[in-house]
Each structure stands twice: as C-alpha cells, then as structure tokens.
Amino acid sequence: MSRAPESAGSKDGAWIDAFMEMMAVERAAAANTLKAYAKDLEDARGFLAAKGDSLAGADAATIEAYFADLGARGLSAATAARRRAAVRQFYRFVLGEGWRTDDPSRRVAAPKAGRPLPKVLSREEMDRLIAAAAAEDGKQGLRMAALVELAYASGLRVSELVGLTYVAVARDPAYLMVKGKGGKERLAPLNDAARTAVKAYLEVRKAFLTKGAKDSPWLFPSSGATGRLT
C-alpha cells in the first residue's frame, strides 16, 4: 500500500499523480487516454475547489452535484460519460490505497447482508463499458452511449431496451414506463447521464432509419427486418 500524502492542500495533486502513474504502468493506458483522464480529473478538481472542497474531502452529495453539472454545462454525451468514468476509477484507486475509507462516487448502495448477489457486471466493468462507448466517434458512438447509459440507469433488460419507442423518451422523462415479463408494468428511473446521452443521440437518430423511411416508432431503429435493433 502506498503512503498517503499528509498535507491536505497537496493531496489532490499527489493522488492524481499516483493514479496516473498506476494507469500508465499497471494498465498500460495509451498516451491519449492518460491525457484525457488527467484533464477530466482536473475538471473535477476545479469544480470542487470553486465550492471550497477537494477530491480528497468531497462527499457523495458533492460528487453527485459535479456529475449533474456535467450535463448542465452542455458537454457532449461522450465527454460527460468519460469524466464520470474517470472520477469513479480515481476513487476506486484511492479507496484501494487506503487513503479514504469510502468511495463518494458510488451511485448504488451495497446489497443487504444475507441476500445473494446477482451475476452482473462489476462497477468497474460497467464504467469501462461506458467509457468505451463514449470514446466511439460520430453517430455510432452517440447511439452506443445512449444504449449503455439507459441500461445502466434503468436496469432494463436488453429486450426492453431495444424495444423502447421514440415517444417513450420524446419529452425527456425522469422515468420510463416499461412493460416486462407477464405484461407487468413498472417505472424505470433515468438519471441525468442517461437523459443527456439520449438527447445527444436523438439529434442523429434519423441517420439509422431504413433507406427511404421518414421516421420509425422505435427509439433505436435499424435497417433490419424488424426495423429496430435486436
């Protein structure tokens, strides 16, 4: 375990340097990835500093405020997703080093003791998936970012996700009404990240329509036999 810096004023910079070194050495991150993550963490650091806080001392509410601010700034869905992923990976590293005893970037509470854990992607795997989707260029990247952020925020099954209609999101809802197995309906929440990603995708959605089609009832249309992603 590395030794944490003692000075509160120097912690953020020292922790970021240590994180970047880990990314370069242990994960062999590319130069462009390192540059982007350094920029992302400095952005978070600047936001917190303006509020009299720091990466070292921020609590969950402050980090959630930063995540919300990313969407409010009008950043591209790809940039906002990458910055959230960078902050989460940073705090996992800090937690692993023992420099903090909590992870303020966590969005989901730990399951109650005694209940079996479902077989799902880990938080780190999910963050990497979001970052990978956000890294794709152009229309395909915007669609992938919308798919991943929607799935992450709402917990929809794949069949439910690709079966969403355009009208379901046309008015930027905070919740989706989903009809699941057995015809049962439920509300699925949408966070700011998902709503921002969907808005960005809707700007290019018609590029995925079947040639000659003016529109489609599906949120994720395609040129396949069903007229939507499957």
Side-chain angles (χ1 to χ4, degrees), residues 85-227:
V87 169
R88 293 194 191 102
Q89 291 193 54
F90 169 78
Y91 276 119
R92 274 197 297 275
F93 167 74
V94 168
L95 185 65
E97 292 296 308
W99 297 343
R100 285 188 60 138
T101 58
D102 66 326
D103 177 354
S105 70
R106 293 190 65 172
R107 293 197 282 189
V108 182
K112 295 180 180 179
R115 298 182 64 182
L117 292 173
K119 295 181 179 179
V120 297
L121 291 177
S122 69
R123 288 178 58 245
E124 183 172 0
E125 289 170 331
M126 197 67 221
D127 286 340
R128 287 181 181 177
L129 183 58
I130 290 174
E136 287 195 36
D137 293 327
K139 301 178 181 66
Q140 292 288 349
L142 291 174
R143 180 169 70 171
M144 183 59 70
L147 283 163
V148 174
E149 288 284 9
L150 274 173
Y152 191 23
S154 65
L156 294 180
R157 300 180 181 90
V158 173
S159 59
E160 295 170 340
L161 180 62
V162 298
L164 287 173
T165 60
Y166 169 73
V167 296
V169 301
R171 296 186 178 182
D172 188 26
Y175 293 87
L176 293 175
M177 179 65 74
V178 182
K179 183 174 290 187
K181 292 183 177 180
K184 293 182 179 180
E185 292 186 334
R186 71 182 191 279
L187 286 175
L190 295 182
N191 57 22
D192 289 338
R195 294 166 70 183
T196 298
V198 169
K199 286 180 183 177
Y201 161 68
L202 290 180
E203 295 294 323
V204 301
R205 171 179 167 272
K206 288 191 175 181
F208 297 99
L209 294 174
T210 302
K211 187 175 181 179
K214 293 184 178 180
D215 208 340
S216 166
W218 306 111
L219 175 58
F220 296 105
S222 77
S223 57
T226 63

Side-chain angles (χ1 to χ4, degrees), residues 76 134 145:
S76 71

Side-chain angles (χ1 to χ4, degrees), residues 43 66-81 83-84 142 192 195-197 199-200 203:
D43 182 77
Y66 171 65
F67 287 167
D69 181 70
L70 293 175
R73 281 190 238 169
L75 297 173
S76 71
T79 298
R83 288 187 176 174
R84 286 189 295 271
L142 291 174
D192 289 338
R195 294 166 70 183
T196 298
K199 286 180 183 177
E203 295 294 323

